[in-house]
DNA sequence: TGACTTGTTCAAAT
DNA sequence: GATTTGAACAAGTC
């Protein structure tokens, strides 16, 4: 699922494949995924335009246009990007397809259609308007402690809340808390300052390493409690048994004997 | 067949 | 008013 590391990997993919080429035509098959624009104005802005650079904030990807603002992509749960050279076959299913002048294509697909496409003038304004917290990798320890102070909700739901910290999703939150040996339901205001600092350090550590390996899960197995998210499996660290609980409406796996 | 999955949003509760 | 909780959405998988 696209959390911060996956989106960072998409950002690089755009950098490597889609910049500095004139857009000839776009096709949009799911207009309902547009956030603040219409098919007509999306076409109007993108066609004959050029992508020049990229920016990521949390799980949001912004692609700067040579003329006029940014294209914003949010990947929801199943969003993906595919570049196909002029002789390659682009994926059959797509939400947005960009056809460059040389015939190569760039496709945004999203089978469950929980993603979003928007045109934004200025990404800082967009981030502010929608109330996103600071990006998890840009965040300082002081900011982190301030953002979490006096919160009573469970640590897992707090670090997953994009309005508090942008970028952490369900699976990475489980990994972070497992590594810190903290129970996901612990109310934030009952955790020691030291524990919160540990969560901060571990968040950075895991996300940085995930970014380094392009979010390749096979190379990140050592951070997670499980390779397969399934209750009842033995804990990799102690003699405990993996527990399953719905926390904040999300399926959560943790070891009740070493996370407390 | 239907329960389960996730990120986000909105409504309701505290 | 701010914060927290929970349901809803969409569609693929098993």
């Amino acid at each position: 699922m696209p959390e911060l590391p996956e989106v960072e990997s998409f950002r690089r993919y755009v950098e490597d494949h889609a910049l500095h080429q004139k857009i000839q035509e776009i096709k949009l098959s799911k207009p309902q995924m547009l956030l603040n624009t219409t098919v007509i104005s999306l076409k109007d802005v993108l066609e004959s335009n050029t992508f020049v650079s990229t920016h990521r904030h949390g799980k949001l990807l912004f692609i700067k246009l040579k003329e006029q603002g940014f294209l914003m992509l949010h990947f929801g749960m199943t969003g993906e990007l595919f570049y196909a050279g002029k002789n390659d076959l682009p994926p059959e299913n797509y939400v947005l397809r960009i056809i460059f002048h040389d015939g190569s294509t760039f496709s945004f697909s999203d089978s469950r259609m929980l993603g979003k496409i928007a045109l934004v003038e200025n990404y800082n304004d967009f981030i502010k308007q929608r109330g996103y917290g600071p990006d998890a990798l840009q965040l300082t320890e002081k900011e982190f402690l301030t953002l979490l102070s006096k919160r009573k909700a469970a640590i897992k739901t707090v670090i997953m809340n994009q309005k508090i910290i942008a970028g952490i999703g369900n699976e990475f939150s489980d990994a972070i808390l497992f590594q810190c040996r903290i129970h996901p339901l612990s109310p934030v205001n009952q955790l020691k300052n030291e524990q919160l600092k540990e969560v901060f350090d571990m968040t950075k550590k895991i996300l940085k390493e995930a970014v380094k390996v392009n979010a390749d899960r096979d190379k990140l197995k050592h951070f997670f409690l499980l390779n397969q998210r399934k209750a009842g499996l033995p804990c990799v660290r102690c003699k405990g048994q993996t527990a399953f609980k719905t926390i904040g409406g999300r399926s959560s796996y943790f070891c009740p004997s070493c996370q407390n």
Side-chain angles (χ1 to χ4, degrees):
Chain A
M1 316 297 138
E3 300 186 30
L4 184 151
E6 284 89 353
V7 178
E8 177 62 18
S9 166
F10 289 144
R11 189 190 68 77
R12 293 178 184 163
Y13 191 71
V14 172
E15 288 269 339
D16 290 344
H17 295 102
L19 300 188
H20 314 301
Q21 304 181 62
K22 194 169 176 184
I23 296 168
Q24 180 153 46
E25 192 193 349
I26 68 155
K27 290 182 176 173
L28 185 78
S29 69
K30 304 285 176 195
Q32 67 268 39
M33 289 179 58
L34 293 177
L35 189 62
N36 57 358
T37 185
T38 60
V39 181
I40 293 176
S41 55
L42 191 73
K43 264 184 169 296
D44 191 48
V45 170
L46 291 184
E47 289 179 355
S48 299
N49 215 326
T50 304
F51 295 141
V52 292
S53 62
T54 59
H55 178 79
R56 183 191 54 73
H57 185 93
K59 303 172 188 172
L60 305 179
L61 176 60
F62 298 91
I63 309 175
K64 186 170 172 47
L65 299 161
K66 192 172 175 186
E67 318 281 345
Q68 213 175 326
F70 298 80
L71 172 68
M72 192 288 298
L73 298 179
H74 178 269
F75 296 88
M77 179 176 165
T78 50
E80 287 179 281
L81 295 177
F82 299 96
Y83 172 78
K86 60 181 173 189
N87 297 318
D88 301 331
L89 207 58
E92 231 171 89
N93 296 312
Y94 63 89
V95 168
L96 173 66
R97 176 166 293 159
I98 286 154
I99 301 158
F100 293 113
H101 229 248
D102 70 353
S104 62
T105 61
F106 203 77
S107 307
F108 173 38
S109 73
D110 183 0
S111 64
R112 296 191 200 177
M113 301 192 295
L114 288 169
K116 285 278 176 278
I117 299 167
L119 285 175
V120 309
E121 280 298 312
N122 171 314
Y123 61 75
N124 283 321
D125 291 347
F126 182 82
I127 289 162
K128 207 182 248 180
Q129 274 163 23
R130 302 196 60 96
Y132 284 96
D135 181 80
L137 278 181
Q138 303 300 319
L139 188 67
T140 65
E141 185 184 85
K142 197 179 161 192
E143 270 181 304
F144 178 82
L145 294 173
T146 308
L147 284 164
L148 268 64
S149 73
K150 292 180 190 158
R151 296 261 171 198
K152 294 181 209 146
I155 181 75
K156 164 147 171 145
T157 54
V158 170
I159 63 174
M160 270 200 316
N161 185 338
Q162 304 303 299
K163 302 207 158 150
I164 300 174
I165 302 166
I168 303 168
N170 191 29
E171 296 197 8
F172 276 91
S173 69
D174 277 357
I176 291 164
L177 294 174
F178 174 67
Q179 288 302 321
C180 296
R181 298 172 192 251
I182 293 173
H183 194 292
L185 279 177
S186 314
V188 172
N189 61 355
Q190 285 178 28
L191 290 170
K192 295 180 195 130
N193 219 39
E194 240 171 65
Q195 290 179 297
L196 292 177
K197 287 182 179 178
E198 252 181 83
V199 173
F200 172 79
D201 290 340
M202 194 53 71
T203 300
K204 293 263 180 174
K205 187 179 170 189
I206 293 184
L207 292 179
K208 275 185 194 164
E209 192 160 327
V211 162
K212 204 180 282 177
V213 299
N214 266 320
D216 181 343
R217 287 311 216 78
D218 285 343
K219 295 177 184 159
L220 297 167
K221 282 180 179 167
H222 53 291
F223 286 128
F224 289 82
L225 169 57
L226 304 165
N227 296 328
Q228 248 189 319
R229 289 164 72 78
K230 200 171 163 187
L233 296 175
C235 172
V236 298
R237 187 166 55 201
C238 75
K239 293 195 170 138
Q241 228 184 15
T242 302
F244 168 86
K245 220 174 176 43
T246 300
I247 300 174
R250 293 293 158 260
S251 56
S252 311
Y253 297 88
F254 59 99
C255 174
S257 41
C258 62
Q259 285 175 260
N260 41 51

